[in-house]
Amino acid sequence: MTPRAGGEVLDRLMALVDDGRLAGNADLDALRAEFPFLLGFDRWLAGPGAGLLDEVLRAPLEGDASH
């Protein structure tokens, strides 16, 4: 895995989403062949997901009076 701003936590999440328990029983190779536009977590995070994840991480928690 490549180093990134999120470090080990995001690396482990990426592995779970792409190839691990969170991948379920899906045939990822077949899905990629049928839907070549689908992104792995690392590519999503490096592209369209970066801003979305940053927005979520910066958003105040519901009920948090400090923000």
Side-chain angles (χ1 to χ4, degrees):
M1 287 184 212
T2 60
R4 68 182 106 279
E8 184 182 353
V9 172
L10 285 179
D11 285 343
R12 292 177 70 193
L13 179 59
M14 181 182 70
L16 286 173
V17 169
D18 281 347
D19 301 314
R21 290 177 287 204
L22 297 179
N25 295 321
D27 182 342
L28 297 179
D29 290 330
L31 285 170
R32 288 181 182 120
E34 189 167 345
F35 305 101
F37 56 86
L38 293 176
L39 301 175
F41 184 70
D42 59 338
R43 290 185 61 209
W44 176 84
L45 187 59
L52 296 170
L53 181 61
D54 186 56
E55 183 180 322
V56 169
L57 292 175
R58 292 181 186 276
L61 297 174
E62 235 178 84
D64 184 357
S66 68
H67 287 89

PDB file of all heavy atoms in Angstrom, residues 4-28:
ATOM      1  N   ARG A   4      -0.257   7.621   2.701  1.00  0.00           N
ATOM      2  CA  ARG A   4      -1.194   8.708   2.433  1.00  0.00           C
ATOM      3  C   ARG A   4      -1.476   9.453   3.723  1.00  0.00           C
ATOM      4  O   ARG A   4      -1.082   9.024   4.789  1.00  0.00           O
ATOM      5  CB  ARG A   4      -2.466   8.208   1.784  1.00  0.00           C
ATOM      6  CG  ARG A   4      -3.328   7.340   2.685  1.00  0.00           C
ATOM      7  CD  ARG A   4      -4.549   6.837   1.949  1.00  0.00           C
ATOM      8  NE  ARG A   4      -4.471   5.437   1.605  1.00  0.00           N
ATOM      9  CZ  ARG A   4      -3.843   4.894   0.593  1.00  0.00           C
ATOM     10  NH1 ARG A   4      -3.182   5.595  -0.233  1.00  0.00           N
ATOM     11  NH2 ARG A   4      -3.835   3.618   0.376  1.00  0.00           N
ATOM     12  N   ALA A   5      -2.166  10.555   3.616  1.00  0.00           N
ATOM     13  CA  ALA A   5      -2.404  11.417   4.767  1.00  0.00           C
ATOM     14  C   ALA A   5      -3.123  10.693   5.899  1.00  0.00           C
ATOM     15  O   ALA A   5      -2.876  10.949   7.056  1.00  0.00           O
ATOM     16  CB  ALA A   5      -3.197  12.645   4.342  1.00  0.00           C
ATOM     17  N   GLY A   6      -4.013   9.775   5.600  1.00  0.00           N
ATOM     18  CA  GLY A   6      -4.797   9.094   6.626  1.00  0.00           C
ATOM     19  C   GLY A   6      -4.025   8.024   7.370  1.00  0.00           C
ATOM     20  O   GLY A   6      -4.463   7.549   8.406  1.00  0.00           O
ATOM     21  N   GLY A   7      -2.891   7.618   6.827  1.00  0.00           N
ATOM     22  CA  GLY A   7      -2.048   6.658   7.502  1.00  0.00           C
ATOM     23  C   GLY A   7      -2.642   5.265   7.596  1.00  0.00           C
ATOM     24  O   GLY A   7      -3.396   4.821   6.731  1.00  0.00           O
ATOM     25  N   GLU A   8      -2.275   4.604   8.657  1.00  0.00           N
ATOM     26  CA  GLU A   8      -2.601   3.187   8.828  1.00  0.00           C
ATOM     27  C   GLU A   8      -4.101   2.911   8.867  1.00  0.00           C
ATOM     28  O   GLU A   8      -4.566   1.917   8.320  1.00  0.00           O
ATOM     29  CB  GLU A   8      -1.944   2.667  10.101  1.00  0.00           C
ATOM     30  CG  GLU A   8      -2.168   1.174  10.298  1.00  0.00           C
ATOM     31  CD  GLU A   8      -1.558   0.652  11.576  1.00  0.00           C
ATOM     32  OE1 GLU A   8      -0.834   1.403  12.263  1.00  0.00           O
ATOM     33  OE2 GLU A   8      -1.822  -0.506  11.895  1.00  0.00           O
ATOM     34  N   VAL A   9      -4.870   3.776   9.491  1.00  0.00           N
ATOM     35  CA  VAL A   9      -6.319   3.537   9.607  1.00  0.00           C
ATOM     36  C   VAL A   9      -6.964   3.469   8.228  1.00  0.00           C
ATOM     37  O   VAL A   9      -7.713   2.542   7.927  1.00  0.00           O
ATOM     38  CB  VAL A   9      -6.984   4.625  10.472  1.00  0.00           C
ATOM     39  CG1 VAL A   9      -8.501   4.499  10.427  1.00  0.00           C
ATOM     40  CG2 VAL A   9      -6.485   4.541  11.901  1.00  0.00           C
ATOM     41  N   LEU A  10      -6.657   4.452   7.372  1.00  0.00           N
ATOM     42  CA  LEU A  10      -7.244   4.429   6.029  1.00  0.00           C
ATOM     43  C   LEU A  10      -6.688   3.281   5.201  1.00  0.00           C
ATOM     44  O   LEU A  10      -7.411   2.701   4.387  1.00  0.00           O
ATOM     45  CB  LEU A  10      -7.020   5.763   5.324  1.00  0.00           C
ATOM     46  CG  LEU A  10      -7.904   6.903   5.806  1.00  0.00           C
ATOM     47  CD1 LEU A  10      -7.579   8.184   5.056  1.00  0.00           C
ATOM     48  CD2 LEU A  10      -9.373   6.576   5.675  1.00  0.00           C
ATOM     49  N   ASP A  11      -5.432   2.938   5.395  1.00  0.00           N
ATOM     50  CA  ASP A  11      -4.874   1.782   4.688  1.00  0.00           C
ATOM     51  C   ASP A  11      -5.631   0.506   5.038  1.00  0.00           C
ATOM     52  O   ASP A  11      -5.968  -0.286   4.164  1.00  0.00           O
ATOM     53  CB  ASP A  11      -3.391   1.593   5.024  1.00  0.00           C
ATOM     54  CG  ASP A  11      -2.503   2.601   4.327  1.00  0.00           C
ATOM     55  OD1 ASP A  11      -2.963   3.232   3.347  1.00  0.00           O
ATOM     56  OD2 ASP A  11      -1.350   2.757   4.758  1.00  0.00           O
ATOM     57  N   ARG A  12      -5.903   0.331   6.314  1.00  0.00           N
ATOM     58  CA  ARG A  12      -6.617  -0.875   6.747  1.00  0.00           C
ATOM     59  C   ARG A  12      -8.062  -0.863   6.250  1.00  0.00           C
ATOM     60  O   ARG A  12      -8.581  -1.888   5.814  1.00  0.00           O
ATOM     61  CB  ARG A  12      -6.550  -1.010   8.254  1.00  0.00           C
ATOM     62  CG  ARG A  12      -5.110  -1.300   8.718  1.00  0.00           C
ATOM     63  CD  ARG A  12      -4.971  -1.382  10.196  1.00  0.00           C
ATOM     64  NE  ARG A  12      -5.638  -2.588  10.665  1.00  0.00           N
ATOM     65  CZ  ARG A  12      -5.905  -2.835  11.929  1.00  0.00           C
ATOM     66  NH1 ARG A  12      -5.553  -1.971  12.857  1.00  0.00           N
ATOM     67  NH2 ARG A  12      -6.503  -3.949  12.286  1.00  0.00           N
ATOM     68  N   LEU A  13      -8.714   0.296   6.280  1.00  0.00           N
ATOM     69  CA  LEU A  13     -10.077   0.404   5.766  1.00  0.00           C
ATOM     70  C   LEU A  13     -10.112   0.113   4.281  1.00  0.00           C
ATOM     71  O   LEU A  13     -10.984  -0.600   3.795  1.00  0.00           O
ATOM     72  CB  LEU A  13     -10.647   1.793   6.062  1.00  0.00           C
ATOM     73  CG  LEU A  13     -12.059   2.053   5.563  1.00  0.00           C
ATOM     74  CD1 LEU A  13     -13.048   1.053   6.160  1.00  0.00           C
ATOM     75  CD2 LEU A  13     -12.482   3.468   5.904  1.00  0.00           C
ATOM     76  N   MET A  14      -9.127   0.648   3.555  1.00  0.00           N
ATOM     77  CA  MET A  14      -9.049   0.404   2.122  1.00  0.00           C
ATOM     78  C   MET A  14      -8.932  -1.096   1.838  1.00  0.00           C
ATOM     79  O   MET A  14      -9.604  -1.626   0.952  1.00  0.00           O
ATOM     80  CB  MET A  14      -7.847   1.138   1.530  1.00  0.00           C
ATOM     81  CG  MET A  14      -7.696   0.955   0.036  1.00  0.00           C
ATOM     82  SD  MET A  14      -6.246   1.800  -0.605  1.00  0.00           S
ATOM     83  CE  MET A  14      -4.943   0.787   0.082  1.00  0.00           C
ATOM     84  N   ALA A  15      -8.098  -1.785   2.592  1.00  0.00           N
ATOM     85  CA  ALA A  15      -7.926  -3.226   2.389  1.00  0.00           C
ATOM     86  C   ALA A  15      -9.216  -3.978   2.675  1.00  0.00           C
ATOM     87  O   ALA A  15      -9.584  -4.907   1.961  1.00  0.00           O
ATOM     88  CB  ALA A  15      -6.792  -3.750   3.267  1.00  0.00           C
ATOM     89  N   LEU A  16      -9.934  -3.573   3.711  1.00  0.00           N
ATOM     90  CA  LEU A  16     -11.201  -4.235   4.036  1.00  0.00           C
ATOM     91  C   LEU A  16     -12.245  -4.009   2.953  1.00  0.00           C
ATOM     92  O   LEU A  16     -12.994  -4.915   2.591  1.00  0.00           O
ATOM     93  CB  LEU A  16     -11.742  -3.729   5.377  1.00  0.00           C
ATOM     94  CG  LEU A  16     -11.027  -4.223   6.614  1.00  0.00           C
ATOM     95  CD1 LEU A  16     -11.569  -3.498   7.850  1.00  0.00           C
ATOM     96  CD2 LEU A  16     -11.203  -5.724   6.775  1.00  0.00           C
ATOM     97  N   VAL A  17     -12.320  -2.793   2.433  1.00  0.00           N
ATOM     98  CA  VAL A  17     -13.311  -2.478   1.414  1.00  0.00           C
ATOM     99  C   VAL A  17     -12.973  -3.164   0.098  1.00  0.00           C
ATOM    100  O   VAL A  17     -13.832  -3.757  -0.545  1.00  0.00           O
ATOM    101  CB  VAL A  17     -13.423  -0.948   1.220  1.00  0.00           C
ATOM    102  CG1 VAL A  17     -14.255  -0.613  -0.008  1.00  0.00           C
ATOM    103  CG2 VAL A  17     -14.040  -0.303   2.456  1.00  0.00           C
ATOM    104  N   ASP A  18     -11.715  -3.094  -0.318  1.00  0.00           N
ATOM    105  CA  ASP A  18     -11.342  -3.628  -1.629  1.00  0.00           C
ATOM    106  C   ASP A  18     -11.230  -5.148  -1.674  1.00  0.00           C
ATOM    107  O   ASP A  18     -11.627  -5.763  -2.648  1.00  0.00           O
ATOM    108  CB  ASP A  18     -10.011  -3.031  -2.092  1.00  0.00           C
ATOM    109  CG  ASP A  18     -10.181  -1.625  -2.646  1.00  0.00           C
ATOM    110  OD1 ASP A  18     -11.329  -1.212  -2.903  1.00  0.00           O
ATOM    111  OD2 ASP A  18      -9.166  -0.940  -2.811  1.00  0.00           O
ATOM    112  N   ASP A  19     -10.676  -5.748  -0.646  1.00  0.00           N
ATOM    113  CA  ASP A  19     -10.368  -7.175  -0.741  1.00  0.00           C
ATOM    114  C   ASP A  19     -10.767  -7.983   0.490  1.00  0.00           C
ATOM    115  O   ASP A  19     -10.592  -9.186   0.507  1.00  0.00           O
ATOM    116  CB  ASP A  19      -8.861  -7.369  -0.961  1.00  0.00           C
ATOM    117  CG  ASP A  19      -8.394  -6.675  -2.225  1.00  0.00           C
ATOM    118  OD1 ASP A  19      -9.061  -6.814  -3.256  1.00  0.00           O
ATOM    119  OD2 ASP A  19      -7.373  -5.971  -2.166  1.00  0.00           O
ATOM    120  N   GLY A  20     -11.241  -7.347   1.522  1.00  0.00           N
ATOM    121  CA  GLY A  20     -11.442  -8.048   2.784  1.00  0.00           C
ATOM    122  C   GLY A  20     -12.893  -8.308   3.118  1.00  0.00           C
ATOM    123  O   GLY A  20     -13.748  -8.460   2.243  1.00  0.00           O
ATOM    124  N   ARG A  21     -13.144  -8.326   4.408  1.00  0.00           N
ATOM    125  CA  ARG A  21     -14.474  -8.685   4.908  1.00  0.00           C
ATOM    126  C   ARG A  21     -15.581  -7.808   4.353  1.00  0.00           C
ATOM    127  O   ARG A  21     -16.690  -8.279   4.133  1.00  0.00           O
ATOM    128  CB  ARG A  21     -14.486  -8.611   6.431  1.00  0.00           C
ATOM    129  CG  ARG A  21     -13.667  -9.713   7.066  1.00  0.00           C
ATOM    130  CD  ARG A  21     -13.652  -9.549   8.538  1.00  0.00           C
ATOM    131  NE  ARG A  21     -12.786  -8.415   8.833  1.00  0.00           N
ATOM    132  CZ  ARG A  21     -12.173  -8.233   9.971  1.00  0.00           C
ATOM    133  NH1 ARG A  21     -12.341  -9.068  10.948  1.00  0.00           N
ATOM    134  NH2 ARG A  21     -11.387  -7.193  10.149  1.00  0.00           N
ATOM    135  N   LEU A  22     -15.315  -6.534   4.130  1.00  0.00           N
ATOM    136  CA  LEU A  22     -16.356  -5.648   3.628  1.00  0.00           C
ATOM    137  C   LEU A  22     -16.624  -5.853   2.149  1.00  0.00           C
ATOM    138  O   LEU A  22     -17.596  -5.336   1.613  1.00  0.00           O
ATOM    139  CB  LEU A  22     -15.994  -4.185   3.912  1.00  0.00           C
ATOM    140  CG  LEU A  22     -15.890  -3.824   5.390  1.00  0.00           C
ATOM    141  CD1 LEU A  22     -15.499  -2.356   5.559  1.00  0.00           C
ATOM    142  CD2 LEU A  22     -17.188  -4.104   6.119  1.00  0.00           C
ATOM    143  N   ALA A  23     -15.767  -6.597   1.473  1.00  0.00           N
ATOM    144  CA  ALA A  23     -15.989  -6.889   0.057  1.00  0.00           C
ATOM    145  C   ALA A  23     -17.089  -7.937  -0.104  1.00  0.00           C
ATOM    146  O   ALA A  23     -17.653  -8.079  -1.171  1.00  0.00           O
ATOM    147  CB  ALA A  23     -14.698  -7.381  -0.602  1.00  0.00           C
ATOM    148  N   GLY A  24     -17.402  -8.654   0.960  1.00  0.00           N
ATOM    149  CA  GLY A  24     -18.466  -9.653   0.907  1.00  0.00           C
ATOM    150  C   GLY A  24     -18.129 -10.787  -0.034  1.00  0.00           C
ATOM    151  O   GLY A  24     -16.984 -11.184  -0.167  1.00  0.00           O
ATOM    152  N   ASN A  25     -19.136 -11.277  -0.697  1.00  0.00           N
ATOM    153  CA  ASN A  25     -18.969 -12.410  -1.604  1.00  0.00           C
ATOM    154  C   ASN A  25     -18.976 -11.978  -3.061  1.00  0.00           C
ATOM    155  O   ASN A  25     -19.182 -12.792  -3.944  1.00  0.00           O
ATOM    156  CB  ASN A  25     -20.082 -13.441  -1.366  1.00  0.00           C
ATOM    157  CG  ASN A  25     -19.985 -14.042   0.014  1.00  0.00           C
ATOM    158  OD1 ASN A  25     -18.900 -14.306   0.507  1.00  0.00           O
ATOM    159  ND2 ASN A  25     -21.117 -14.250   0.655  1.00  0.00           N
ATOM    160  N   ALA A  26     -18.785 -10.718  -3.306  1.00  0.00           N
ATOM    161  CA  ALA A  26     -18.815 -10.210  -4.682  1.00  0.00           C
ATOM    162  C   ALA A  26     -17.604 -10.707  -5.461  1.00  0.00           C
ATOM    163  O   ALA A  26     -16.513 -10.823  -4.926  1.00  0.00           O
ATOM    164  CB  ALA A  26     -18.823  -8.687  -4.674  1.00  0.00           C
ATOM    165  N   ASP A  27     -17.828 -10.977  -6.721  1.00  0.00           N
ATOM    166  CA  ASP A  27     -16.736 -11.326  -7.631  1.00  0.00           C
ATOM    167  C   ASP A  27     -16.195 -10.010  -8.185  1.00  0.00           C
ATOM    168  O   ASP A  27     -16.704  -9.468  -9.171  1.00  0.00           O
ATOM    169  CB  ASP A  27     -17.259 -12.230  -8.745  1.00  0.00           C
ATOM    170  CG  ASP A  27     -16.169 -12.684  -9.696  1.00  0.00           C
ATOM    171  OD1 ASP A  27     -15.081 -12.061  -9.724  1.00  0.00           O
ATOM    172  OD2 ASP A  27     -16.415 -13.667 -10.419  1.00  0.00           O
ATOM    173  N   LEU A  28     -15.170  -9.471  -7.524  1.00  0.00           N
ATOM    174  CA  LEU A  28     -14.672  -8.147  -7.881  1.00  0.00           C
ATOM    175  C   LEU A  28     -14.129  -8.090  -9.301  1.00  0.00           C
ATOM    176  O   LEU A  28     -14.301  -7.086  -9.998  1.00  0.00           O
ATOM    177  CB  LEU A  28     -13.618  -7.693  -6.876  1.00  0.00           C
ATOM    178  CG  LEU A  28     -14.119  -7.511  -5.443  1.00  0.00           C
ATOM    179  CD1 LEU A  28     -12.973  -7.085  -4.540  1.00  0.00           C
ATOM    180  CD2 LEU A  28     -15.260  -6.525  -5.372  1.00  0.00           C
TER     181      LEU A  28
END
